[in-house]
Amino acid sequence: MPESFDDTYTESQVIMTAVKIIAPFTLTYGLFMTFHGGDAPGGGFQGGTIVGVTVLMLAFAFGIEPTRQWLRNSFLVGLVTGGVVVFGAIGLAMIAFGGNFLEFYQLKEVFQIKPKWGLEAVEIGGISLIVSGVIITLFFAMAAGFTPERRGGTGGTSGAGEDRRPVDTEVSDDD
């Protein structure tokens, strides 16, 4: 007799409708927090978190696998890598201009612009991309562990008398 299991996704019209209504507002608020973080409470970390959690809401409402297919691994790796490159490039540019790593006062001396713009570039182009990409990636990595073979989160070994064959947990980068 086949073993029954609880699926990790159940379609709910209430949740899907609520997320369709709420997601544009949370995404807008996350972008607002990111872009206005230098002048108001917030910043790249908080804004990136809200943007990442908006994607998690979509995954809860419309299914993890369709969302994972929509946001391919290559896109998420590019998001995080792009953020690291922007962060590092701005920091190293300050060294090239004769200052220390991320010493934004060099912008005033070299380009006669406010040092604030260096901070804004790091927060918007670096930190927010890294944080949102990492949150989404960690969510997908944790969600990959919930399969019918491992529904209890114990790696498939939920009882002493059960079959304890190893579970194939390989994740492909091709999706």
Side-chain angles (χ1 to χ4, degrees):
M1 184 166 134
E3 188 177 336
S4 66
F5 61 90
D6 293 329
D7 193 6
T8 57
Y9 174 70
T10 303
E11 188 172 302
S12 168
Q13 292 301 319
V14 173
I15 293 173
M16 292 170 66
T17 303
V19 169
K20 284 180 186 178
I21 293 169
I22 294 171
F25 292 105
T26 59
L27 181 63
T28 302
Y29 185 64
L31 294 173
F32 173 80
M33 292 282 286
T34 300
F35 288 113
H36 292 279
D39 298 327
F45 191 90
Q46 293 86 343
T49 302
I50 295 170
V51 169
V53 169
T54 301
V55 174
L56 271 57
M57 280 192 324
L58 293 170
F60 284 130
F62 300 103
I64 295 170
E65 282 308 312
T67 307
R68 186 190 320 255
Q69 291 170 0
W70 176 58
L71 291 174
R72 296 178 139 344
N73 285 341
S74 58
F75 175 76
L76 294 173
V77 169
L79 194 69
V80 174
T81 304
V84 170
V85 167
V86 167
F87 188 93
I90 293 170
L92 294 174
M94 297 304 113
I95 293 174
F97 295 147
N100 293 321
F101 188 77
L102 296 177
E103 184 180 12
F104 301 122
Y105 292 105
Q106 293 304 111
L107 292 174
K108 186 167 183 99
E109 293 178 21
V110 175
F111 297 111
Q112 287 72 42
I113 61 173
K114 294 180 180 180
K116 170 190 177 236
W117 294 112
L119 176 64
E120 292 288 338
V122 165
E123 290 220 3
I124 295 168
I127 295 171
S128 64
L129 295 178
I130 294 168
V131 170
S132 61
V134 166
I135 285 175
I136 297 166
T137 303
L138 286 175
F139 172 75
F140 285 150
M142 288 189 301
F146 296 109
T147 61
E149 294 84 18
R150 302 184 328 169
R151 68 179 178 273
T154 59
T157 57
S158 59
E162 293 183 18
D163 185 16
R164 294 183 181 215
R165 287 177 279 164
V167 177
D168 183 20
T169 59
E170 183 178 339
V171 177
S172 172
D173 287 337
D174 296 333
D175 53 48

Coordinates of all heavy atoms in Angstrom, one line a residue, residues 96-137:
A96 N 41.9 53.4 -5.1 CA 42.5 53.9 -6.3 C 42.6 55.5 -6.4 O 43.5 56.0 -6.9 CB 41.8 53.4 -7.6
F97 N 41.6 56.1 -5.7 CA 41.6 57.6 -5.7 C 42.4 58.1 -4.5 O 42.4 59.3 -4.3 CB 40.1 58.1 -5.5 CG 39.3 57.8 -6.7 CD1 37.9 57.5 -6.5 CD2 39.8 57.8 -8.0 CE1 37.1 57.3 -7.6 CE2 39.0 57.5 -9.1 CZ 37.6 57.3 -8.9
G98 N 43.1 57.2 -3.8 CA 44.0 57.7 -2.8 C 43.5 57.6 -1.3 O 44.1 58.1 -0.4
G99 N 42.4 57.0 -1.1 CA 41.8 56.9 0.2 C 41.8 55.5 0.7 O 42.6 54.6 0.2
N100 N 41.0 55.2 1.7 CA 40.9 53.8 2.2 C 39.7 53.2 1.6 O 38.9 53.8 1.0 CB 40.7 53.9 3.8 CG 42.0 54.4 4.4 OD1 43.1 54.0 4.0 ND2 41.8 55.2 5.5
F101 N 39.5 51.9 1.9 CA 38.4 51.1 1.4 C 37.1 51.7 1.9 O 36.9 51.9 3.1 CB 38.5 49.6 1.8 CG 37.5 48.7 1.2 CD1 37.7 48.3 -0.2 CD2 36.4 48.3 1.8 CE1 36.8 47.5 -0.8 CE2 35.5 47.4 1.2 CZ 35.7 47.0 -0.1
L102 N 36.2 52.1 0.9 CA 34.9 52.7 1.2 C 35.0 54.0 1.9 O 34.1 54.4 2.6 CB 34.0 51.7 2.0 CG 33.6 50.5 1.3 CD1 32.7 49.6 2.3 CD2 32.8 50.7 0.0
E103 N 36.1 54.8 1.7 CA 36.2 56.1 2.2 C 35.7 57.1 1.2 O 36.3 57.5 0.3 CB 37.7 56.4 2.5 CG 37.9 57.8 3.2 CD 39.4 58.1 3.4 OE1 40.2 57.4 2.9 OE2 39.6 59.1 4.2
F104 N 34.4 57.4 1.4 CA 33.7 58.1 0.4 C 34.1 59.6 0.3 O 33.7 60.3 -0.6 CB 32.2 58.0 0.6 CG 31.7 56.6 0.6 CD1 31.0 56.1 1.7 CD2 31.9 55.8 -0.5 CE1 30.6 54.8 1.7 CE2 31.4 54.5 -0.5 CZ 30.8 54.0 0.6
Y105 N 34.9 60.1 1.2 CA 35.3 61.5 1.1 C 36.2 61.7 -0.1 O 36.4 62.8 -0.5 CB 36.0 61.9 2.4 CG 35.1 62.0 3.6 CD1 35.0 61.0 4.6 CD2 34.1 63.0 3.7 CE1 34.1 61.1 5.6 CE2 33.2 63.1 4.7 CZ 33.2 62.1 5.7 OH 32.3 62.2 6.7
Q106 N 36.7 60.6 -0.6 CA 37.5 60.8 -1.8 C 36.7 61.2 -3.0 O 37.2 61.8 -3.9 CB 38.2 59.4 -2.2 CG 39.2 59.0 -1.2 CD 40.3 60.0 -1.0 OE1 40.4 60.6 0.0 NE2 41.1 60.2 -2.0
L107 N 35.4 61.0 -3.0 CA 34.5 61.4 -4.1 C 34.5 63.0 -4.1 O 34.4 63.6 -5.2 CB 33.1 60.9 -3.9 CG 32.9 59.4 -4.1 CD1 31.5 59.0 -3.7 CD2 33.3 59.0 -5.5
K108 N 34.5 63.6 -3.0 CA 34.5 65.1 -2.9 C 35.8 65.6 -3.4 O 35.8 66.6 -4.2 CB 34.2 65.5 -1.5 CG 34.1 67.0 -1.4 CD 33.5 67.4 -0.1 CE 33.3 68.9 0.0 NZ 31.9 69.3 -0.3
E109 N 36.9 65.0 -3.1 CA 38.2 65.5 -3.5 C 38.4 65.3 -5.0 O 39.0 66.1 -5.7 CB 39.3 64.8 -2.7 CG 39.3 65.2 -1.3 CD 40.4 64.5 -0.5 OE1 41.4 64.0 -1.1 OE2 40.3 64.4 0.8
V110 N 38.0 64.1 -5.5 CA 38.3 63.8 -6.9 C 37.2 64.3 -7.9 O 37.5 64.9 -8.9 CB 38.4 62.2 -7.1 CG1 38.6 61.9 -8.5 CG2 39.6 61.7 -6.3
F111 N 35.9 64.1 -7.5 CA 34.8 64.5 -8.5 C 34.0 65.7 -8.0 O 33.1 66.1 -8.7 CB 33.9 63.3 -8.6 CG 34.5 62.1 -9.3 CD1 34.7 61.0 -8.5 CD2 34.9 62.1 -10.6 CE1 35.3 59.8 -9.1 CE2 35.5 61.0 -11.2 CZ 35.7 59.9 -10.4
Q112 N 34.3 66.3 -6.9 CA 33.5 67.4 -6.3 C 32.1 67.0 -6.1 O 31.2 67.8 -6.4 CB 33.7 68.7 -7.1 CG 35.0 69.3 -6.9 CD 36.2 68.6 -7.6 OE1 36.0 68.1 -8.7 NE2 37.3 68.5 -6.9
I113 N 31.8 65.8 -5.7 CA 30.4 65.4 -5.4 C 30.3 65.0 -4.0 O 31.3 64.7 -3.3 CB 29.9 64.2 -6.3 CG1 30.7 63.0 -6.2 CG2 29.8 64.7 -7.8 CD1 30.2 61.8 -6.9
K114 N 29.1 64.9 -3.4 CA 28.9 64.6 -2.0 C 29.3 63.2 -1.8 O 29.0 62.3 -2.5 CB 27.5 64.8 -1.6 CG 27.0 66.2 -1.7 CD 25.5 66.3 -1.3 CE 25.1 67.7 -1.3 NZ 23.6 67.8 -0.9
P115 N 30.0 62.9 -0.6 CA 30.3 61.5 -0.3 C 29.1 60.6 -0.1 O 29.2 59.4 -0.2 CB 31.1 61.7 1.1 CG 31.6 63.1 1.1 CD 30.6 63.9 0.3
K116 N 28.0 61.3 0.2 CA 26.7 60.5 0.3 C 26.4 59.6 -0.9 O 25.9 58.5 -0.7 CB 25.6 61.5 0.6 CG 24.2 60.9 0.5 CD 23.2 62.0 0.5 CE 21.9 61.4 0.4 NZ 21.0 61.8 -0.6
W117 N 26.8 60.1 -2.1 CA 26.5 59.3 -3.3 C 27.2 58.0 -3.3 O 26.8 57.0 -3.9 CB 26.7 60.1 -4.5 CG 25.8 61.3 -4.6 CD1 26.1 62.6 -4.5 CD2 24.4 61.2 -4.7 NE1 25.0 63.4 -4.5 CE2 23.9 62.5 -4.7 CE3 23.5 60.2 -4.9 CZ2 22.5 62.9 -4.8 CZ3 22.1 60.5 -5.0 CH2 21.7 61.8 -5.0
G118 N 28.4 57.9 -2.7 CA 29.1 56.7 -2.6 C 28.4 55.7 -1.7 O 28.3 54.5 -2.1
L119 N 27.9 56.2 -0.6 CA 27.2 55.3 0.3 C 25.9 54.8 -0.4 O 25.5 53.7 -0.2 CB 26.8 56.1 1.6 CG 25.9 55.4 2.6 CD1 26.6 54.1 3.1 CD2 25.6 56.3 3.7
E120 N 25.2 55.7 -1.1 CA 24.0 55.3 -1.8 C 24.3 54.2 -2.8 O 23.5 53.3 -2.9 CB 23.3 56.5 -2.5 CG 22.8 57.6 -1.5 CD 21.5 57.1 -0.8 OE1 20.8 56.2 -1.4 OE2 21.2 57.7 0.2
A121 N 25.3 54.4 -3.5 CA 25.7 53.4 -4.6 C 26.0 52.0 -3.9 O 25.6 51.0 -4.4 CB 26.9 53.8 -5.4
V122 N 26.6 52.0 -2.8 CA 26.9 50.8 -2.1 C 25.7 50.1 -1.5 O 25.4 48.9 -1.7 CB 28.0 51.0 -0.9 CG1 28.0 49.8 0.0 CG2 29.3 51.2 -1.5
E123 N 24.8 50.9 -1.0 CA 23.5 50.4 -0.4 C 22.6 49.9 -1.5 O 22.0 48.8 -1.3 CB 22.9 51.5 0.5 CG 23.6 51.8 1.7 CD 22.7 51.9 2.9 OE1 21.5 51.8 2.8 OE2 23.2 52.2 4.0
I124 N 22.4 50.7 -2.5 CA 21.5 50.3 -3.6 C 22.0 49.2 -4.5 O 21.4 48.2 -4.7 CB 21.0 51.5 -4.4 CG1 20.3 52.5 -3.5 CG2 20.2 51.1 -5.6 CD1 20.1 53.9 -4.1
G125 N 23.2 49.4 -5.0 CA 23.8 48.5 -5.9 C 24.5 47.3 -5.4 O 24.7 46.3 -6.0
G126 N 24.8 47.4 -4.1 CA 25.6 46.3 -3.5 C 24.8 45.5 -2.4 O 24.3 44.4 -2.7
I127 N 24.5 46.2 -1.3 CA 23.9 45.5 -0.2 C 22.5 45.0 -0.5 O 22.2 43.8 -0.1 CB 23.9 46.4 1.1 CG1 25.4 46.7 1.5 CG2 23.2 45.8 2.2 CD1 25.5 47.8 2.5
S128 N 21.7 45.8 -1.1 CA 20.3 45.3 -1.3 C 20.3 44.1 -2.3 O 19.4 43.2 -2.1 CB 19.5 46.5 -1.9 OG 20.0 46.9 -3.2
L129 N 21.1 44.1 -3.3 CA 21.1 43.0 -4.2 C 21.6 41.7 -3.5 O 21.1 40.6 -3.7 CB 22.1 43.2 -5.4 CG 21.6 44.4 -6.3 CD1 22.6 44.5 -7.4 CD2 20.3 44.1 -6.9
I130 N 22.7 41.8 -2.7 CA 23.2 40.7 -1.9 C 22.2 40.1 -1.0 O 21.9 38.9 -1.0 CB 24.5 41.1 -1.2 CG1 25.6 41.5 -2.1 CG2 24.9 40.0 -0.2 CD1 26.8 42.2 -1.5
V131 N 21.5 41.0 -0.2 CA 20.6 40.5 0.8 C 19.4 39.9 0.2 O 19.0 38.8 0.6 CB 20.2 41.7 1.7 CG1 19.0 41.3 2.6 CG2 21.4 42.2 2.6
S132 N 18.8 40.5 -0.8 CA 17.6 39.9 -1.4 C 17.9 38.6 -2.1 O 17.2 37.6 -2.0 CB 16.9 40.9 -2.4 OG 17.8 41.2 -3.5
G133 N 19.1 38.5 -2.8 CA 19.5 37.3 -3.4 C 19.8 36.1 -2.4 O 19.4 35.0 -2.6
V134 N 20.4 36.5 -1.3 CA 20.7 35.5 -0.3 C 19.5 35.0 0.4 O 19.3 33.8 0.6 CB 21.7 36.0 0.7 CG1 21.8 35.1 2.0 CG2 23.1 36.2 0.1
I135 N 18.5 35.8 0.7 CA 17.3 35.4 1.3 C 16.5 34.5 0.4 O 16.0 33.4 0.9 CB 16.4 36.6 1.7 CG1 17.0 37.3 2.9 CG2 15.0 36.2 2.0 CD1 16.3 38.6 3.3
I136 N 16.4 34.8 -0.8 CA 15.7 33.9 -1.8 C 16.4 32.6 -1.9 O 15.8 31.5 -1.9 CB 15.5 34.6 -3.1 CG1 14.6 35.9 -2.9 CG2 14.8 33.7 -4.1 CD1 14.6 36.8 -4.1
T137 N 17.7 32.6 -2.1 CA 18.5 31.4 -2.3 C 18.4 30.5 -1.0 O 18.2 29.3 -1.2 CB 20.0 31.8 -2.5 OG1 20.0 32.6 -3.7 CG2 20.8 30.5 -2.8

